[in-house]
Amino acid sequence: MTDSRPDIDAREVSVTYGSRQLALHGVTLHAGPGVLGLLGPNGAGKSTLLSVLATLLRPNTGSVYIGGHDIHTRKGRHAARARLGWLPQRFDLAGGMTALETVAYAAWANGCDAGAADHRASEALGLVDMAELASTRVRRLSGGQRQRLGLAAAMAHDPSVLLLDEPTVGLDPEQRVKFRASIRRAASRRTIVLSSHLLEDIAHVCDRVAVLHHGEIRFIGTPTELAALAASDVGTSTDVLTNPLEAGYLCALRSDDA
């Protein structure tokens, strides 16, 4: 049974690899409808946190609820996975399948009735602006189109929570703009967590942003609030920075570093 918790409710989550390497330390994160950006440098723990939220990695300590379901129980994980859409940083697509076949298969594999899979796939392709490419073989798609196809496949079963791990890495500027537009359309009735180290993505698509550094949350708030951090930080020079969001981000990374 679900409760009044937000779609994503993670509290005091810690993950240790081996006996010493601490990947996440006491992370608390709540997210509801809209786009939450997960920002941080390489190695900050972003992919680890997404793997926990995707029920692929069990934390050593803490609690995680997805859609009100406790992922620490077998029943809860099963129920949570039905609510989740997951686009990892790297994924494979069958080159001989069409775009529609690819997304319809993803819908079916995630529990959608076979009779409704094509309809769900067509809707998902429309959300990522690829309806006209439905009959195109995957091998003929560009890199940006494949990324958008991956997004369509991740949400073909109509999940309420969508997890995206560095989805725009390797895309050129035009492809990133199209992908960001697809994310905004997908966010109309979903909770989306978008992991990135690209401030452009955060600025253009995110309603809120969490800064993760050394496995800890250093800031959570709106992009405007993040940018405002620099205004009161005398240690941040804006002369060599391109925008206030970068300055605020650097302030957040330095917080609690003594």
Side-chain angles (χ1 to χ4, degrees), residues 149-187:
L149 183 62
L151 177 60
M155 60 184 181
H157 59 296
D158 198 25
S160 58
V161 176
L162 194 56
L163 306 174
L164 311 176
D165 191 5
E166 303 279 4
T168 62
V169 169
L171 301 186
D172 64 35
E174 181 180 3
Q175 291 170 338
R176 285 204 305 273
V177 168
K178 290 182 177 179
F179 196 90
R180 290 197 297 252
S182 296
I183 293 173
R184 284 309 317 175
R185 286 192 292 270

Short mmCIF file of all heavy atoms in Angstrom, two decimals, residues 149-187:
data_model
loop_
_atom_site.label_atom_id
_atom_site.label_comp_id
_atom_site.label_asym_id
_atom_site.label_seq_id
_atom_site.Cartn_x
_atom_site.Cartn_y
_atom_site.Cartn_z
N LEU A 149 15.39 7.86 -28.49
CA LEU A 149 14.71 6.57 -28.56
C LEU A 149 14.84 5.84 -27.22
O LEU A 149 13.89 5.22 -26.74
CB LEU A 149 15.30 5.72 -29.68
CG LEU A 149 14.64 4.36 -29.92
CD1 LEU A 149 13.17 4.52 -30.32
CD2 LEU A 149 15.40 3.57 -30.99
N GLY A 150 16.03 5.93 -26.61
CA GLY A 150 16.22 5.34 -25.29
C GLY A 150 15.28 5.95 -24.27
O GLY A 150 14.73 5.25 -23.42
N LEU A 151 15.08 7.28 -24.35
CA LEU A 151 14.16 7.95 -23.45
C LEU A 151 12.73 7.47 -23.68
O LEU A 151 11.99 7.20 -22.72
CB LEU A 151 14.24 9.47 -23.65
CG LEU A 151 13.29 10.33 -22.82
CD1 LEU A 151 13.53 10.13 -21.34
CD2 LEU A 151 13.46 11.81 -23.20
N ALA A 152 12.34 7.33 -24.94
CA ALA A 152 11.00 6.82 -25.26
C ALA A 152 10.81 5.41 -24.70
O ALA A 152 9.75 5.09 -24.14
CB ALA A 152 10.78 6.83 -26.77
N ALA A 153 11.83 4.57 -24.84
CA ALA A 153 11.74 3.20 -24.33
C ALA A 153 11.62 3.19 -22.80
O ALA A 153 10.91 2.36 -22.24
CB ALA A 153 12.96 2.40 -24.77
N ALA A 154 12.30 4.13 -22.15
CA ALA A 154 12.28 4.18 -20.68
C ALA A 154 10.92 4.58 -20.13
O ALA A 154 10.58 4.25 -18.99
CB ALA A 154 13.35 5.13 -20.18
N MET A 155 10.14 5.31 -20.93
CA MET A 155 8.85 5.77 -20.40
C MET A 155 7.65 5.19 -21.16
O MET A 155 6.52 5.62 -20.97
CB MET A 155 8.79 7.30 -20.40
CG MET A 155 8.94 7.96 -21.74
SD MET A 155 8.95 9.76 -21.54
CE MET A 155 9.11 10.26 -23.27
N ALA A 156 7.89 4.16 -21.97
CA ALA A 156 6.80 3.58 -22.76
C ALA A 156 5.74 2.92 -21.90
O ALA A 156 4.57 2.85 -22.29
CB ALA A 156 7.37 2.57 -23.76
N HIS A 157 6.11 2.43 -20.73
CA HIS A 157 5.13 1.78 -19.84
C HIS A 157 4.48 2.79 -18.90
O HIS A 157 3.81 2.41 -17.95
CB HIS A 157 5.79 0.65 -19.05
CG HIS A 157 6.94 1.08 -18.17
ND1 HIS A 157 8.11 1.60 -18.67
CD2 HIS A 157 7.09 1.06 -16.82
CE1 HIS A 157 8.93 1.87 -17.68
NE2 HIS A 157 8.34 1.57 -16.54
N ASP A 158 4.68 4.07 -19.19
CA ASP A 158 4.05 5.17 -18.46
C ASP A 158 4.44 5.18 -16.98
O ASP A 158 3.58 5.21 -16.08
CB ASP A 158 2.53 5.11 -18.59
CG ASP A 158 1.87 6.44 -18.22
OD1 ASP A 158 2.53 7.49 -18.34
OD2 ASP A 158 0.70 6.43 -17.82
N PRO A 159 5.76 5.21 -16.68
CA PRO A 159 6.19 5.25 -15.28
C PRO A 159 5.93 6.63 -14.67
O PRO A 159 5.93 7.64 -15.39
CB PRO A 159 7.69 4.97 -15.38
CG PRO A 159 8.08 5.54 -16.71
CD PRO A 159 6.90 5.26 -17.61
N SER A 160 5.76 6.67 -13.37
CA SER A 160 5.59 7.95 -12.70
C SER A 160 6.92 8.55 -12.27
O SER A 160 7.00 9.74 -11.97
CB SER A 160 4.68 7.79 -11.48
OG SER A 160 5.22 6.83 -10.58
N VAL A 161 7.98 7.72 -12.24
CA VAL A 161 9.32 8.18 -11.88
C VAL A 161 10.28 7.80 -12.99
O VAL A 161 10.30 6.65 -13.44
CB VAL A 161 9.78 7.55 -10.55
CG1 VAL A 161 11.22 7.96 -10.23
CG2 VAL A 161 8.85 7.94 -9.41
N LEU A 162 11.07 8.78 -13.45
CA LEU A 162 12.00 8.57 -14.55
C LEU A 162 13.40 8.97 -14.09
O LEU A 162 13.59 10.09 -13.61
CB LEU A 162 11.57 9.41 -15.75
CG LEU A 162 12.18 9.14 -17.13
CD1 LEU A 162 11.98 7.69 -17.55
CD2 LEU A 162 11.56 10.09 -18.16
N LEU A 163 14.36 8.06 -14.22
CA LEU A 163 15.73 8.29 -13.79
C LEU A 163 16.64 8.33 -15.01
O LEU A 163 16.68 7.36 -15.78
CB LEU A 163 16.18 7.18 -12.84
CG LEU A 163 15.27 6.92 -11.62
CD1 LEU A 163 15.76 5.69 -10.85
CD2 LEU A 163 15.21 8.14 -10.72
N LEU A 164 17.37 9.42 -15.18
CA LEU A 164 18.21 9.62 -16.36
C LEU A 164 19.64 9.89 -15.92
O LEU A 164 19.92 10.86 -15.22
CB LEU A 164 17.70 10.81 -17.18
CG LEU A 164 16.20 10.84 -17.51
CD1 LEU A 164 15.85 12.13 -18.26
CD2 LEU A 164 15.81 9.63 -18.33
N ASP A 165 20.56 9.03 -16.35
CA ASP A 165 21.96 9.14 -15.94
C ASP A 165 22.80 9.71 -17.08
O ASP A 165 23.07 9.03 -18.07
CB ASP A 165 22.49 7.77 -15.53
CG ASP A 165 23.85 7.85 -14.84
OD1 ASP A 165 24.34 8.97 -14.61
OD2 ASP A 165 24.42 6.79 -14.52
N GLU A 166 23.20 10.97 -16.94
CA GLU A 166 24.04 11.67 -17.92
C GLU A 166 23.52 11.47 -19.35
O GLU A 166 24.26 11.04 -20.24
CB GLU A 166 25.49 11.17 -17.83
CG GLU A 166 26.13 11.31 -16.46
CD GLU A 166 26.66 12.71 -16.19
OE1 GLU A 166 26.46 13.60 -17.04
OE2 GLU A 166 27.26 12.91 -15.13
N PRO A 167 22.26 11.78 -19.62
CA PRO A 167 21.68 11.42 -20.92
C PRO A 167 22.18 12.25 -22.10
O PRO A 167 21.98 11.83 -23.24
CB PRO A 167 20.18 11.66 -20.69
CG PRO A 167 20.13 12.75 -19.67
CD PRO A 167 21.28 12.45 -18.74
N THR A 168 22.81 13.40 -21.87
CA THR A 168 23.21 14.24 -23.00
C THR A 168 24.71 14.19 -23.27
O THR A 168 25.20 14.93 -24.12
CB THR A 168 22.80 15.71 -22.76
OG1 THR A 168 23.47 16.22 -21.61
CG2 THR A 168 21.30 15.84 -22.58
N VAL A 169 25.44 13.35 -22.54
CA VAL A 169 26.88 13.23 -22.77
C VAL A 169 27.13 12.75 -24.21
O VAL A 169 26.52 11.78 -24.66
CB VAL A 169 27.52 12.25 -21.77
CG1 VAL A 169 28.94 11.91 -22.19
CG2 VAL A 169 27.52 12.86 -20.38
N GLY A 170 28.00 13.43 -24.91
CA GLY A 170 28.34 13.04 -26.28
C GLY A 170 27.45 13.61 -27.35
O GLY A 170 27.73 13.43 -28.54
N LEU A 171 26.39 14.31 -26.98
CA LEU A 171 25.51 14.91 -27.97
C LEU A 171 26.02 16.29 -28.37
O LEU A 171 26.59 17.01 -27.56
CB LEU A 171 24.08 15.04 -27.42
CG LEU A 171 23.39 13.76 -26.96
CD1 LEU A 171 21.94 14.07 -26.59
CD2 LEU A 171 23.44 12.69 -28.05
N ASP A 172 25.80 16.64 -29.64
CA ASP A 172 26.19 17.98 -30.07
C ASP A 172 25.13 18.98 -29.59
O ASP A 172 24.07 18.59 -29.08
CB ASP A 172 26.39 18.04 -31.59
CG ASP A 172 25.12 17.78 -32.39
OD1 ASP A 172 24.03 18.18 -31.94
OD2 ASP A 172 25.22 17.19 -33.48
N PRO A 173 25.41 20.30 -29.68
CA PRO A 173 24.48 21.30 -29.14
C PRO A 173 23.05 21.18 -29.66
O PRO A 173 22.10 21.30 -28.88
CB PRO A 173 25.12 22.62 -29.55
CG PRO A 173 26.58 22.32 -29.59
CD PRO A 173 26.67 20.92 -30.14
N GLU A 174 22.87 20.92 -30.95
CA GLU A 174 21.51 20.80 -31.50
C GLU A 174 20.80 19.58 -30.92
O GLU A 174 19.62 19.64 -30.56
CB GLU A 174 21.56 20.71 -33.02
CG GLU A 174 20.17 20.62 -33.65
CD GLU A 174 20.21 20.52 -35.17
OE1 GLU A 174 21.34 20.46 -35.73
OE2 GLU A 174 19.15 20.49 -35.78
N GLN A 175 21.54 18.46 -30.81
CA GLN A 175 20.95 17.25 -30.26
C GLN A 175 20.57 17.44 -28.79
O GLN A 175 19.53 16.95 -28.34
CB GLN A 175 21.94 16.09 -30.39
CG GLN A 175 22.19 15.64 -31.82
CD GLN A 175 23.33 14.66 -31.94
OE1 GLN A 175 24.21 14.60 -31.08
NE2 GLN A 175 23.36 13.89 -33.01
N ARG A 176 21.41 18.18 -28.03
CA ARG A 176 21.11 18.43 -26.62
C ARG A 176 19.84 19.26 -26.46
O ARG A 176 19.03 19.03 -25.56
CB ARG A 176 22.28 19.13 -25.92
CG ARG A 176 23.45 18.22 -25.61
CD ARG A 176 24.28 18.73 -24.46
NE ARG A 176 24.75 20.09 -24.66
CZ ARG A 176 25.86 20.42 -25.29
NH1 ARG A 176 26.63 19.47 -25.80
NH2 ARG A 176 26.23 21.67 -25.41
N VAL A 177 19.66 20.25 -27.34
CA VAL A 177 18.46 21.08 -27.28
C VAL A 177 17.22 20.22 -27.49
O VAL A 177 16.22 20.34 -26.77
CB VAL A 177 18.52 22.21 -28.32
CG1 VAL A 177 17.17 22.89 -28.47
CG2 VAL A 177 19.57 23.25 -27.92
N LYS A 178 17.25 19.33 -28.48
CA LYS A 178 16.10 18.46 -28.76
C LYS A 178 15.85 17.50 -27.60
O LYS A 178 14.70 17.24 -27.24
CB LYS A 178 16.33 17.69 -30.06
CG LYS A 178 16.27 18.57 -31.31
CD LYS A 178 16.47 17.73 -32.57
CE LYS A 178 16.35 18.60 -33.81
NZ LYS A 178 16.55 17.82 -35.06
N PHE A 179 16.92 16.99 -27.01
CA PHE A 179 16.75 16.05 -25.91
C PHE A 179 16.17 16.76 -24.70
O PHE A 179 15.28 16.24 -24.02
CB PHE A 179 18.08 15.40 -25.54
CG PHE A 179 17.93 14.17 -24.69
CD1 PHE A 179 17.80 12.93 -25.26
CD2 PHE A 179 17.89 14.28 -23.31
CE1 PHE A 179 17.64 11.79 -24.47
CE2 PHE A 179 17.72 13.16 -22.51
CZ PHE A 179 17.61 11.91 -23.09
N ARG A 180 16.64 17.98 -24.44
CA ARG A 180 16.10 18.74 -23.30
C ARG A 180 14.62 19.03 -23.49
O ARG A 180 13.84 18.98 -22.53
CB ARG A 180 16.90 20.03 -23.11
CG ARG A 180 18.32 19.81 -22.60
CD ARG A 180 18.92 21.07 -22.03
NE ARG A 180 19.07 22.13 -23.00
CZ ARG A 180 20.23 22.53 -23.51
NH1 ARG A 180 21.36 21.92 -23.14
NH2 ARG A 180 20.29 23.53 -24.35
N ALA A 181 14.23 19.33 -24.73
CA ALA A 181 12.80 19.58 -25.01
C ALA A 181 11.99 18.32 -24.73
O ALA A 181 10.87 18.39 -24.20
CB ALA A 181 12.62 20.03 -26.45
N SER A 182 12.55 17.15 -25.06
CA SER A 182 11.85 15.89 -24.80
C SER A 182 11.67 15.66 -23.30
O SER A 182 10.62 15.19 -22.85
CB SER A 182 12.65 14.72 -25.40
OG SER A 182 12.72 14.83 -26.82
N ILE A 183 12.69 16.02 -22.52
CA ILE A 183 12.60 15.85 -21.07
C ILE A 183 11.51 16.75 -20.50
O ILE A 183 10.72 16.33 -19.64
CB ILE A 183 13.96 16.16 -20.41
CG1 ILE A 183 14.99 15.11 -20.82
CG2 ILE A 183 13.82 16.20 -18.88
CD1 ILE A 183 16.40 15.42 -20.35
N ARG A 184 11.44 17.98 -20.95
CA ARG A 184 10.41 18.90 -20.44
C ARG A 184 9.02 18.38 -20.76
O ARG A 184 8.10 18.46 -19.93
CB ARG A 184 10.59 20.29 -21.03
CG ARG A 184 11.72 21.11 -20.46
CD ARG A 184 11.75 21.21 -18.95
NE ARG A 184 10.47 21.43 -18.30
CZ ARG A 184 10.30 21.46 -16.98
NH1 ARG A 184 11.33 21.25 -16.18
NH2 ARG A 184 9.12 21.66 -16.47
N ARG A 185 8.82 17.81 -21.97
CA ARG A 185 7.51 17.25 -22.30
C ARG A 185 7.20 16.05 -21.41
O ARG A 185 6.07 15.87 -20.94
CB ARG A 185 7.47 16.84 -23.78
CG ARG A 185 7.36 18.02 -24.75
CD ARG A 185 7.03 17.55 -26.16
NE ARG A 185 8.12 16.81 -26.76
CZ ARG A 185 9.10 17.36 -27.47
NH1 ARG A 185 9.12 18.66 -27.67
NH2 ARG A 185 10.05 16.61 -28.00
N ALA A 186 8.21 15.23 -21.15
CA ALA A 186 8.00 14.04 -20.32
C ALA A 186 7.70 14.40 -18.87
O ALA A 186 7.07 13.62 -18.15
CB ALA A 186 9.25 13.14 -20.38
N ALA A 187 8.12 15.59 -18.45
CA ALA A 187 7.97 15.99 -17.05
C ALA A 187 6.59 16.51 -16.71
O ALA A 187 6.32 16.80 -15.55
CB ALA A 187 9.01 17.06 -16.71
#
